[in-house]
């Protein structure tokens, strides 16, 4: 492990600093809340609060650094694409964030350290979740549509508020070519995003998905740094 | 005799042409100017790499694909952002695909872009190493193919 000795000394001092525990309760309660909301999703991972604390210490530099009392997870820096993901509630983050966090991100400064940490955790979980699309039946009543000229399965699904999957299910003998006058059965339905699985959150995960060291332009030692700090934190 | 004249003319033309590095530099400068003009490059990020990869053909339009590797310089830790961007023929952005974990774009074939590694579209699983663009490039889906079935570069 080729970690810089000065960086190690900075982290050792940060861990020893009594102020380094001020966010412990916040991190723990956030993870408990996620566990209670999302534990029933397939493959929900073990969430170790000390791993997230390690990320906070590494990102901020510890209590002696200015970032500790502002953007403690360095989330929402001016050119940070992750902030826009949460603000626009895209990439599945709408399923991860609760309404309180959505509201706080929309209305409060991301430089509030507690919000910064909550947002950072939400982003890591957004990247760890695997999202898929699933059909939701809005009304089980079977309805009928008569095919008009130039209509396609796609245009019909849009115009009658159903899905191609629902049309396929309700019309198992339907061929690829539609004929005008043909009658198609359907239910009111729409597609929605659901959590279909999770990637385990190990030290390598924030290194790839939070630090973004995809092509060598992030910190190549990030995962080792997490392991170093994590190994020094009391259980 | 006639052949010699042609040879001399060809030699003169070749001599007058810009060296290959200049032609490539000009193409790169054009790309950077378009990425800046069309707000694809984000102010405040440090651009480390911008390169044209290939073009996909969607509904008979040739759409260029570029890869951008950037850094977020304000961050305490060096933090990276990697993405490929599908562009219109006038080099405006259509769709972005983020890259994580050493993924790189390789080549295009018809309306598909092939990657080394797995990407996800809009963070939706399952991801894949082949992204196929439809509906003018606004819609894309990823699937996984055996790398042995990749088409050979430089086809597109």
């Amino acid at each position: 492990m080729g970690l810089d000795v000065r960086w190690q000394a900075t982290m050792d001092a940060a861990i020893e600093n009594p102020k380094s525990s001020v966010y412990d309760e916040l991190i723990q309660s956030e993870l408990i809340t996620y566990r209670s909301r999302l534990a029933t999703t397939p493959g929900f991972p073990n969430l170790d609060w000390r791993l997230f604390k390690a990320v906070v210490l590494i990102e901020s530099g510890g209590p002696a650094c200015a970032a500790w009392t502002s953007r403690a997870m360095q989330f929402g820096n001016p050119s940070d694409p992750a902030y826009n993901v949460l603000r626009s509630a895209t990439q599945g983050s709408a399923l991860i964030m609760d309404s309180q966090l959505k509201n706080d991100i929309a209305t409060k400064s991301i430089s509030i350290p507690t919000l910064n940490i909550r947002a950072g955790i939400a982003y890591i979980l957004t990247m760890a979740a695997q999202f898929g699309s699933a059909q939701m039946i809005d009304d089980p009543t079977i309805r009928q549509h008569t095919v008009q000229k130039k209509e396609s399965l796609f245009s019909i699904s849009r115009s009658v508020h159903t899905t191609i999957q629902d049309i396929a299910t309700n019309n198992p003998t339907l061929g690829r070519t539609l004929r005008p006058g043909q009658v198609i059965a359907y239910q009111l339905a729409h597609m929605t995003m659901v959590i279909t699985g999770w990637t385990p959150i190990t030290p390598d995960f924030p290194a790839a998905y939070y630090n973004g060291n995809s092509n060598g332009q992030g910190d190549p030692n990030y995962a080792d740094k997490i392991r170093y700090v994590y190994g020094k934190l009391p259980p | 005799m006639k052949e010699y004249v042609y040879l001399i003319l060809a030699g003169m033309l070749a001599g007058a042409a810009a060296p290959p590095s200049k032609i490539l530099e000009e193409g790169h400068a054009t790309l950077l100017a378009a990425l800046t003009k069309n707000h694809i490059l984000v102010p405040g990020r440090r651009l480390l790499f911008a390169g044209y990869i290939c073009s996909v053909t969607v509904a008979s339009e040739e759409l260029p694909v570029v890869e951008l590797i950037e850094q977020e310089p304000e961050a305490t830790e060096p933090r990276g952002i990697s993405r490929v961007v599908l562009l219109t023929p006038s080099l405006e952005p259509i769709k972005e695909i983020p890259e994580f974990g050493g993924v790189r774009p390789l080549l295009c074939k018809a309306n598909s872009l092939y990657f080394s590694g797995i990407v996800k579209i809009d963070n939706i699983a399952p991801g894949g190493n082949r992204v196929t663009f439809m509906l003018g490039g606004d819609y894309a889906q990823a699937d996984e193919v055996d790398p042995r079935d990749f088409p050979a570069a430089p086809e597109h």
Side-chain angles (χ1 to χ4, degrees), chain B residues 106-125:
Chain B
L106 296 175
L107 56 106
C108 299
K109 170 84 175 180
N111 59 337
S112 293
L113 171 63
Y114 293 79
F115 288 85
S116 70
I118 301 295
V119 295
K120 288 198 276 189
I121 307 297
D122 301 325
N123 205 22
I124 293 178

Side-chain angles (χ1 to χ4, degrees), chain A:
Chain A
M1 188 163 64
L3 295 179
D4 185 275
V5 288
R6 287 168 301 177
W7 179 86
Q8 289 184 33
T10 303
M11 282 297 112
D12 291 348
I15 293 162
E16 291 299 318
N17 189 324
K19 288 182 184 168
S20 71
S21 61
V22 294
Y23 301 129
D24 288 4
E25 206 171 303
L26 169 73
I27 296 168
Q28 289 168 12
S29 68
E30 281 292 292
L31 298 185
I32 288 168
T33 306
Y34 281 115
R35 203 171 289 126
S36 66
R37 274 203 307 119
L38 302 172
T40 54
T41 56
F44 187 73
N46 175 45
L47 298 178
D48 187 337
W49 74 274
R50 292 184 302 148
L51 188 145
F52 289 88
K53 177 174 179 172
V55 174
V56 174
L57 285 167
I58 293 164
E59 289 290 342
S60 67
C65 296
W68 183 256
T69 52
S70 56
R71 295 189 194 126
M73 261 178 98
Q74 291 289 283
F75 190 86
N77 287 329
S79 59
D80 177 12
Y83 189 25
N84 278 337
V85 169
L86 296 197
R87 273 200 296 198
S88 57
T90 53
Q91 297 195 18
S93 61
L95 294 182
I96 300 297
M97 296 185 289
D98 62 16
S99 55
Q100 184 64 56
L101 181 57
K102 286 175 194 166
N103 185 59
D104 288 350
I105 282 180
T107 59
K108 293 180 180 172
S109 167
I110 199 65
S111 297
I112 299 169
T114 49
L115 177 58
N116 203 275
I117 292 170
R118 289 166 59 212
I121 293 172
Y123 184 71
I124 289 175
L125 292 181
T126 297
M127 300 315 288
Q130 291 161 17
F131 299 97
S133 54
Q135 179 178 256
M136 304 292 285
I137 302 291
D138 300 314
D139 182 350
T141 309
I142 301 290
R143 297 156 194 257
Q144 291 190 328
H145 173 79
T146 304
V147 176
Q148 308 296 309
K149 273 184 185 174
K150 293 186 178 176
E151 278 192 322
S152 64
L153 281 180
F154 182 71
S155 68
I156 292 169
S157 68
R158 295 288 290 267
S159 65
V160 302
H161 305 291
T162 188
T163 65
I164 292 174
Q165 185 182 332
D166 178 83
I167 294 175
T169 307
N170 282 301
N171 305 272
T173 59
L174 199 64
R176 290 182 68 181
T177 312
L178 297 179
R179 293 185 315 276
Q182 201 171 356
V183 175
I184 286 175
Y186 71 95
Q187 297 158 294
L188 297 182
H190 69 279
M191 300 303 289
T192 191
M193 195 182 256
V194 293
I195 296 172
T196 57
W198 291 84
T199 303
I201 302 177
T202 62
D204 293 305
F205 188 81
Y209 288 89
Y210 197 76
N211 179 254
N213 184 34
S214 179
N215 295 304
Q217 80 278 40
D219 184 347
N221 296 316
Y222 199 86
D224 284 340
K225 286 181 173 179
I226 293 179
R227 288 188 192 95
Y228 179 86
V229 175
Y230 179 89
K232 298 226 163 189
L233 292 174

Side-chain angles (χ1 to χ4, degrees), chain B residues 90-138:
Chain B
S90 54
L91 306 183
E92 288 161 351
I94 302 175
K95 195 154 195 69
E96 278 195 17
I97 301 169
E99 300 172 324
F100 295 103
V103 169
R104 297 301 299 269
L106 296 175
L107 56 106
C108 299
K109 170 84 175 180
N111 59 337
S112 293
L113 171 63
Y114 293 79
F115 288 85
S116 70
I118 301 295
V119 295
K120 288 198 276 189
I121 307 297
D122 301 325
N123 205 22
I124 293 178
N129 54 0
R130 176 172 65 181
V131 173
T132 302
F133 297 97
M134 287 160 271
L135 304 176
D138 284 328

